[in-house]
């Protein structure tokens, strides 16, 4: 029988797995057997660069952890070598692993989960085809209009500490007041010119037509 120290170590590993599973938005399980050192290193680097945690786990320990977080359906999947990729990013694990598997038949996607629910292979495939978060943000930002771009620059200025928020608000208020005053001047100008012209006409002496007698 395993001694107390071994049992304590396994309990610790299960606790760490439970914490990892609870903190993940999505996770993908893969069979990695057959990968050589170079291939495994590349996969790990790709996942690490995207902020995805990737580790090889023992099926018995992962089964215990999965049962504690409501992922009992993983039981039937947990056979053979298993590696787990988890992330707070909902897309990254599936996208990277599916892209890697396209060029390497040694990687087999077993299953995946999102927000505590097991996903079908069709759902995983669809998730892998979803544009990355960065691509989505770039697309959204590209479709926004100029005022929003100005807001982004304003927020960037605040983030860089170039000006205090209070100063920026005061500046914006002053600019708004100046624009309003300018608009009022433009609107009042035509009326003022017309009124002035009317007064000039009223001040001019009336001229009468000369009669023939006056002309003589």
């Amino acid at each position: 029988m395993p001694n107390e120290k071994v049992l304590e170590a396994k309990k610790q590993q299960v606790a760490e797995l439970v914490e990892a599973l609870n903190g993940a938005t999505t996770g993908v399980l893969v069979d990695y057997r057959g990968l050589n050192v170079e291939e495994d290193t590349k996969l790990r680097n790709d996942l690490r660069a995207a902020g995805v945690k990737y580790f090889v786990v023992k099926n018995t320990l992962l089964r215990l952890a999965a049962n504690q977080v409501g992922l009992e359906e993983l039981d039937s999947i947990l056979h053979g070598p298993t590696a787990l990729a988890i992330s707070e990013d909902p897309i990254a694990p599936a996208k990277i692993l599916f892209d890697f598997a396209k060029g390497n038949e040694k990687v087999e996607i077993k299953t995946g989960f999102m927000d505590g629910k097991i996903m079908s292979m069709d759902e995983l495939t669809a998730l892998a085809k979803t544009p990355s978060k960065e691509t989505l943000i770039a697309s959204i930002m590209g479709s926004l209009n100029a005022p929003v771009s100005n807001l982004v620059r304003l927020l960037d200025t605040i983030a860089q500490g170039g000006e205090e928020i209070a100063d920026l608000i005061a500046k914006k208020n002053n600019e708004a007041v100046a624009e309003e005053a300018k608009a009022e001047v433009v609107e009042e100008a035509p009326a003022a010119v017309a009124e002035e012209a009317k007064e000039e006409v009223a001040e001019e002496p009336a001229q009468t037509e000369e009669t023939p007698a006056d002309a003589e």
Side-chain angles (χ1 to χ4, degrees):
M1 291 182 63
N3 60 38
E4 186 176 342
K5 194 172 286 188
V6 172
L7 287 174
E8 191 61 35
K10 288 185 177 181
K11 287 181 181 179
Q12 180 63 31
Q13 289 176 325
V14 171
E16 290 173 356
L17 282 171
V18 168
E19 183 179 358
L21 292 172
N22 280 329
T25 301
T26 58
V28 179
L29 282 69
V30 297
D31 183 336
Y32 61 91
R33 86 182 93 196
L35 288 181
N36 59 37
V37 174
E38 183 180 353
E39 292 166 336
D40 183 67
T41 300
K42 182 183 186 311
L43 177 58
R44 289 175 181 272
N45 288 340
D46 290 345
L47 290 165
R48 188 181 300 111
V52 179
K53 295 180 181 178
Y54 176 81
F55 42 91
V56 175
V57 292
K58 290 184 177 180
N59 290 327
T60 52
L61 299 181
L62 181 55
R63 184 177 289 111
L64 290 171
N67 288 338
Q68 291 188 38
V69 299
L71 291 172
E72 295 88 352
E73 293 177 64
L74 289 180
D75 265 7
S76 60
I77 307 296
L78 296 176
H79 53 80
T82 302
L84 176 65
I86 57 175
S87 175
E88 294 181 2
D89 185 322
I91 299 170
K95 179 173 286 295
I96 293 172
L97 286 168
F98 270 78
D99 286 347
F100 188 85
K102 286 178 184 177
N104 197 318
E105 297 179 354
K106 299 172 186 175
V107 173
E108 176 192 348
I109 309 295
K110 288 186 172 185
T111 189
F113 61 87
M114 175 182 283
D115 294 330
K117 302 295 181 182
I118 300 298
M119 302 177 71
S120 68
M121 193 57 64
D122 287 342
E123 290 172 331
L124 267 177
T125 302
L127 183 64
K129 293 179 180 178
T130 304
S132 66
K133 182 172 65 176
E134 291 75 13
T135 302
L136 288 173
I137 291 173
S139 299
I140 292 171
M141 294 304 296
S143 65
L144 296 177
N145 53 24
V148 177
S149 297
N150 293 338
L151 175 60
V152 172
R153 285 195 291 272
L154 174 63
L155 294 176
D156 182 62
T157 301
I158 294 173
Q160 295 298 327
E163 297 185 66
E164 294 295 331
I165 294 178
D167 293 337
L168 288 167
I169 293 174
K171 181 186 293 184
K172 288 297 177 185
N173 288 339
N174 291 337
E175 290 174 357
V177 170
E179 286 296 322
E180 186 177 346
K182 184 178 179 181
E184 289 176 356
V185 170
V186 172
E187 290 177 358
E188 292 175 2
V193 171
E195 190 64 27
E196 184 177 348
K198 187 186 296 184
E199 291 175 0
E200 290 177 357
V201 170
E203 291 174 359
E204 288 180 4
Q207 296 183 1
T208 58
E209 295 183 359
E210 294 182 343
T211 63
D214 292 334
E216 294 178 356

